[in-house]
Amino acid sequence: MENRKKVAFYTLGCKLNFSETSTIARNLQDEGFDRVDFEEVADMYVINTCSVTENADKQFKQVVRKAMKLNDKAFVAAVGCYAQLKPEELASVDGVDLVLGATEKFKLADYINDLSKNDFGEVHSCEISEADFYVGSYSIGDRTRAFLKVQDGCDYKCTYCTIPLARGISRSDELENVLKNAKDISEQNIKEIVLTGVNIGDYGKGEFGNKKHEHTFLELVQELDKIEGIERLRISSIEPNLLKNETIEFVSKSRTFVPHFHIPLQSGSNDILKLMKRRYQREVYTERVNKIREVMPHACIGVDVIVGFPGETDEHFLETYHFLNEMNISYLHVFTYSERDNTEAVTMEGVVPANVRAKRSKMLRGLSVKKRRAFYESQLGSNKTVLFESENKEGYIHGFTENYVKVKTPWNPELVNTLHAINLTKIDEDGSVRMDFAAFAV
């Protein structure tokens, strides 16, 4: 039997990165590699990087050190967003042998020779303008849920964001290919698919960057809803200006799409939204939330928000705080603004001190806890369907309802990756919800 090499992967960042790591891993398995866990000794370690926060940069160095501790002779490759933005910086990290940018990462196998260590990291990264072709991908690492990539890149020019520099222009997968990938996933006994991309509401923009829309996001959603064998479809983050009322209406009556939306706001102040070059005002956001509540009162609505953006005064921050406090939303993802090279915001005046950023972040995180608690309380006594996950956490199994309420019940391995009708009974001290199995069928 041939001696197959072992490869381990570590993914930093978003769901999109997870879907791409999974695809790169499948490609390498076809080339004669066996995938092992990152905690194991491997011949090659591949780190899929992220550029969104300062923390991701620091994490990268820690992950390389971890790989070198496991096997100091292992070949280490860095791919992904940070590898595109700062290839030389990553290549200079001790232990890194290969750095591949946006277009090269899916061709990793072509760049590997005999896996011998390099004295210096070798860099292959293109001008980002060359990232104009689309590579479809999906992740199937977690048995209960898969991330399906439908779109890549972004044409928006938000002043704080490096993603267009790291991923290139907006481009989409062909509808037939998305449907084929979704069918492939459904045949592997995976119950839930999460749609992912950089700007998924922009779905339909041509594969080679032409702006003509072959299909719209609504058409994508309508076609996916028809696929047999998928129990649940979930839309990940979608821009408020691209989430149309027709899509909200369709989801409310859909067979498989769940009542859960994650909509980035970034700021509740129109002044700051303008500085960020966001493509909407806060009034549009209010309209979207109201529309969702009108047709899906029990929907879960998550919000991204950035604190400490240059020029954000105490008044602007309080405007955001009150706006979110008054709105009927379910939870927040709070990001503390961090300066990124080559973005417009870096040169802006009104830099907010780090301690003020931290204080604002803490306030909004507190608000998020309050919002999630209120949302969970509003769901007590209702009948829902839960999809159980695979981990035994301190004697309990956890799962999520269709509207993203986290539930727990005593561990039972037979429940893994199964759907059950339940009744939500009470909130546990850890914040998750206790349940009874219900008499009605799923």
Side-chain angles (χ1 to χ4, degrees), residues 379-393:
Q379 300 303 297
L380 294 180
S382 63
N383 292 325
K384 295 289 173 210
T385 307
V386 65
L387 172 59
F388 285 109
E389 305 207 323
S390 54
E391 223 178 319
N392 179 346
K393 288 185 184 163

Side-chain angles (χ1 to χ4, degrees), residues 69-122:
K69 250 186 205 151
L70 289 161
N71 178 7
D72 61 3
K73 293 183 177 60
F75 189 87
V76 176
V79 302
C81 290
Y82 197 41
Q84 175 64 37
L85 289 175
K86 301 271 181 88
E88 307 297 339
E89 199 173 296
L90 291 196
S92 69
V93 173
D94 205 27
V96 174
D97 299 292
L98 178 67
V99 178
L100 298 182
T103 61
E104 290 78 17
K105 62 189 168 193
F106 293 105
K107 300 181 280 197
L108 177 57
D110 300 347
Y111 291 102
I112 306 163
N113 298 321
D114 58 356
L115 295 189
S116 54
K117 298 289 287 172
N118 290 327
D119 293 337
F120 301 101
E122 193 183 306

Side-chain angles (χ1 to χ4, degrees), residues 157-334:
K157 300 285 187 284
C158 300
T159 53
Y160 52 82
C161 186
T162 56
I163 288 173
L165 302 171
R167 283 186 170 271
I169 55 173
S170 178
R171 53 210 189 272
S172 310
D173 204 349
E174 291 166 0
L175 185 61
E176 295 69 34
N177 198 44
V178 175
L179 299 177
K180 179 194 163 295
N181 284 343
K183 285 191 186 100
D184 288 351
I185 294 167
S186 72
E187 284 162 11
Q188 301 187 48
N189 194 28
I190 289 168
K191 304 281 195 285
E192 182 177 311
I193 293 177
V194 183
L195 301 186
T196 181
V198 174
N199 188 356
I200 63 172
D202 211 18
Y203 178 82
K205 274 201 180 162
E207 190 181 348
F208 296 98
N210 55 347
K211 302 307 172 202
K212 187 163 77 70
H213 273 249
E214 285 297 314
H215 297 96
T216 62
F217 183 68
L218 175 61
E219 286 172 335
L220 171 73
V221 166
Q222 289 167 333
E223 290 304 312
L224 282 167
D225 197 46
K226 296 173 188 168
I227 291 179
E228 293 301 318
I230 300 171
E231 302 281 348
R232 282 183 179 181
L233 282 154
R234 203 178 287 278
I235 297 169
S236 68
S237 190
I238 182 165
E239 294 282 308
N241 51 308
L242 295 174
L243 177 58
K244 304 293 185 218
N245 284 345
E246 296 83 354
T247 305
I248 296 169
E249 295 269 3
F250 182 80
V251 168
S252 73
K253 303 181 184 78
S254 153
R255 183 178 68 87
T256 52
F257 276 90
V258 294
H260 175 203
F261 294 88
H262 192 91
I263 315 168
L265 169 69
Q266 310 311 18
S267 175
S269 158
N270 282 340
D271 293 345
I272 299 298
L273 288 173
K274 205 177 240 176
L275 284 173
M276 290 176 165
K277 288 195 178 166
R278 300 292 286 158
R279 298 197 176 192
Y280 54 86
Q281 301 262 275
R282 67 189 227 158
E283 289 73 16
V284 169
Y285 202 91
T286 307
E287 280 168 27
R288 293 298 175 269
V289 171
N290 291 347
K291 179 66 183 176
I292 293 166
R293 288 279 166 244
E294 177 199 321
V295 294
M296 288 172 272
H298 298 303
C300 180
I301 302 174
V303 184
D304 284 343
V305 61
I306 295 170
V307 297
F309 188 78
E312 184 186 64
T313 61
D314 285 345
E315 289 74 23
H316 290 133
F317 171 71
L318 288 173
E319 218 182 321
T320 296
Y321 187 92
H322 295 311
F323 181 69
L324 289 165
N325 191 31
E326 286 156 26
M327 201 175 290
N328 190 351
I329 54 161
S330 316
Y331 65 89
L332 304 171
H333 280 173
V334 184

